[in-house]
Amino acid sequence: MSGDEMNPAAVAQAVEDIQGDDRWMSQIWRELFSPLHALNFGIGEDTTCNVLWRLQNGELDNIGPKVTVVWVGTNNHEHSAEQVAGGILAIAQLLTSRLPKTKVVVLGLLARGEWPNPLREKNVAVNGFLRTWLPRLGQTQFLDVGAGFVHSDGTISTRDMFDFLHLTAAGYRAIAKPLIDLLLQILEETPEEKRASLV
Amino acid sequence: MLMHHIANASLTDKVMSSGDSNPAATPTPGVDTQGDGRWMSLHNHFVSNSKDKEPDVLFVGDSLVQLLHQFEVWRDLFSPLHALNFGVGGDATQHVLWRLSNGELAHISPKVVVLWVGTHNHGHTAEQICGGIMAIVQLIKDKLPKAYTLVLGVLPRGKMPNPLRERNAEVNKLVQEAVSSLPHASLLNVDPGFVHSDGSISHQDLYDYLHLTPQGYQAVCRPLHVHLKGLLEKQAEN
């Protein structure tokens, strides 16, 4: 594991311009995640560095979530797979230290591009590092939601990722299922406070 | 080469830049900087996808067109009009120009082409962007002589007033002037008033102050839909 000072993917960095934001699937969000009392702090094109900066600069100040879902790394174009995994690890470490009660769920990076390509291999490698490293951190687990997106001929369909990177509504529904099952399981295991909010 | 007769000669100079000197009007393919070739995949997908379709309407442009396809409003309002969507996120005018010059218009004869592009032309002046849009309008006329091109005004962006808002407003003004004498094209302003009296834009309309929420799309698309239906009816009469 690279030390944080050596890993550029674990260096907090703000973005200069706000680019995109993946909250546009608000229909899916409303249906599947709002009932869990969820907040979404996603910003399109963010790298691990940008997420780290945001979390260190206010986004965690006023909340105490029982579960934090982290999904980042596919946009870290300047970094190696090991560096990207190190950046995600740094985010998980930050979350468990700032929010001692939170359980962290790290989602695996999805395949991308219409055909097999180096970025797919890189994302698989990132996931490989995470599978090994994350269990060593308390309160943290890895969830792979990418099953089924790559067909037997190696292609990804625009029915699942409309630009071979971003999920369609159908794509989001597919990943939501295993994620929500896990979230509900974690929330069930969390003590009393949560029952009060289920009224 | 752009051969329109425009009453205002100085406007001609500003707007009708030749392809060589105006990067916004020079067909340019997207560059794969990331490593998975998605831009070309999408272009090829659009070309082959059009081979067995007979759309009456073609939407072409950038992310605002592409994301429209992902919302229910597309199914509700535009699928019934037999519309195809060739939007690519991040595309500037020169990218759309390249795509349309390299196969995306080869197999279809839509009655109306809805063109929405210009906000991602970073580093270009309003005049250059207008030149890029007009180059696309001319290309469509050359390839689809019977089609009508409906150019949508570029929307304001950013939470508070900023230079890109001014640039986009100027683009719309220049394009409006350039199409005013053309029988086969027009500009439609689809901004329902996103900028509030204090100069701010709400994230409820543009969730990241650039891209539309479902509510934002509804406000833009209802009048667009009405206008489109009117155009299609007129095309049918001719």
Side-chain angles (χ1 to χ4, degrees), chain B residues 87-167:
Chain B
V88 175
D91 263 16
T93 55
Q94 63 270 23
H95 305 123
V96 171
L97 197 56
W98 190 94
R99 294 197 280 118
L100 296 183
S101 305
N102 285 274
E104 289 184 16
L105 296 181
H107 310 290
I108 52 177
S109 313
K111 300 186 174 71
V112 179
V113 178
V114 180
L115 174 63
W116 208 7
V117 68
T119 203
H120 295 302
N121 274 66
H122 300 305
H124 298 158
T125 63
E127 288 79 9
Q128 287 175 324
I129 299 171
C130 176
I133 290 171
M134 295 313 296
I136 298 169
V137 170
Q138 181 62 47
L139 178 78
I140 294 169
K141 172 104 185 355
D142 291 341
K143 289 198 179 277
L144 305 171
K146 299 208 193 96
Y148 190 93
T149 299
L150 184 63
V151 182
L152 301 187
V154 191
L155 292 179
R157 52 182 288 173
K159 188 172 182 189
M160 299 305 295
N162 63 82
L164 292 184
R165 277 203 208 167
E166 291 158 34
R167 182 203 68 179

Side-chain angles (χ1 to χ4, degrees), chain A residues 54-69:
Chain A
R54 293 197 283 116
L55 296 179
Q56 288 171 357
N57 285 274
E59 288 185 14
L60 297 180
D61 286 356
N62 305 306
I63 50 177
K66 299 181 178 67
V67 187
T68 307
V69 181

Side-chain angles (χ1 to χ4, degrees), chain A residues 155-194:
Chain A
T155 63
I156 286 177
S157 164
T158 53
R159 282 192 236 284
D160 294 321
M161 296 184 193
F162 62 85
D163 61 353
F164 308 107
L165 174 63
H166 294 101
L167 294 165
T168 58
Y172 271 117
R173 280 184 206 284
I175 64 111
K177 180 147 199 341
L179 173 57
I180 291 191
D181 285 348
L182 178 60
L183 290 178
L184 290 175
Q185 189 191 308
I186 295 175
L187 290 170
E188 283 298 303
E189 292 164 0
T190 314
E192 328 65 53
E193 298 163 79
K194 183 239 169 192

Side-chain angles (χ1 to χ4, degrees), chain A residues 26 93 95 165:
Chain A
S26 52
Q93 285 167 328
L95 288 166
L165 174 63

Side-chain angles (χ1 to χ4, degrees), chain B:
Chain B
M1 285 294 248
L2 300 171
M3 312 274 271
H4 299 98
H5 292 291
I6 300 275
N8 183 338
S10 67
L11 181 60
T12 309
D13 294 341
K14 270 194 254 182
V15 163
M16 301 303 164
S17 325
S18 82
D20 291 337
S21 57
N22 180 4
T26 308
T28 310
V31 177
D32 178 21
T33 55
Q34 297 179 356
D36 53 10
R38 293 180 301 110
W39 193 91
M40 200 53 79
S41 286
L42 276 174
H43 167 66
N44 292 335
H45 180 75
F46 292 154
V47 173
S48 60
N49 204 33
S50 58
K51 285 183 183 155
D52 58 354
K53 304 274 197 313
E54 290 174 5
D56 287 334
V57 185
L58 174 68
F59 281 73
V60 67
D62 56 30
S63 49
L64 288 165
V65 173
Q66 183 179 44
L67 291 175
L68 171 60
H69 200 195
Q70 301 305 314
F71 285 97
E72 299 212 334
V73 66
W74 180 267
R75 234 188 348 263
D76 291 341
L77 297 184
F78 301 119
S79 292
L81 301 183
H82 306 287
L84 263 194
N85 186 309
F86 287 179
V88 175
D91 263 16
T93 55
Q94 63 270 23
H95 305 123
V96 171
L97 197 56
W98 190 94
R99 294 197 280 118
L100 296 183
S101 305
N102 285 274
E104 289 184 16
L105 296 181
H107 310 290
I108 52 177
S109 313
K111 300 186 174 71
V112 179
V113 178
V114 180
L115 174 63
W116 208 7
V117 68
T119 203
H120 295 302
N121 274 66
H122 300 305
H124 298 158
T125 63
E127 288 79 9
Q128 287 175 324
I129 299 171
C130 176
I133 290 171
M134 295 313 296
I136 298 169
V137 170
Q138 181 62 47
L139 178 78
I140 294 169
K141 172 104 185 355
D142 291 341
K143 289 198 179 277
L144 305 171
K146 299 208 193 96
Y148 190 93
T149 299
L150 184 63
V151 182
L152 301 187
V154 191
L155 292 179
R157 52 182 288 173
K159 188 172 182 189
M160 299 305 295
N162 63 82
L164 292 184
R165 277 203 208 167
E166 291 158 34
R167 182 203 68 179
N168 286 0
E170 181 67 11
V171 167
N172 294 342
K173 180 163 157 286
L174 291 171
V175 171
Q176 173 66 70
E177 284 165 4
V179 296
S180 59
S181 59
L182 301 179
H184 58 272
S186 61
L187 175 84
L188 181 67
N189 175 15
V190 290
D191 175 4
F194 286 135
V195 179
H196 297 177
S197 52
D198 65 354
S200 70
I201 283 178
S202 165
H203 70 272
Q204 303 201 334
D205 295 319
L206 298 173
Y207 60 82
D208 60 351
Y209 312 105
L210 173 62
H211 296 104
L212 293 159
T213 60
Q215 166 182 316
Y217 269 121
Q218 288 291 333
V220 163
C221 290
R222 298 217 160 270
L224 167 59
H225 176 246
V226 170
H227 195 92
L228 254 186
K229 288 213 307 188
L231 280 176
L232 288 168
E233 272 155 35
K234 250 196 274 177
Q235 293 284 83
E237 283 161 23
N238 295 346

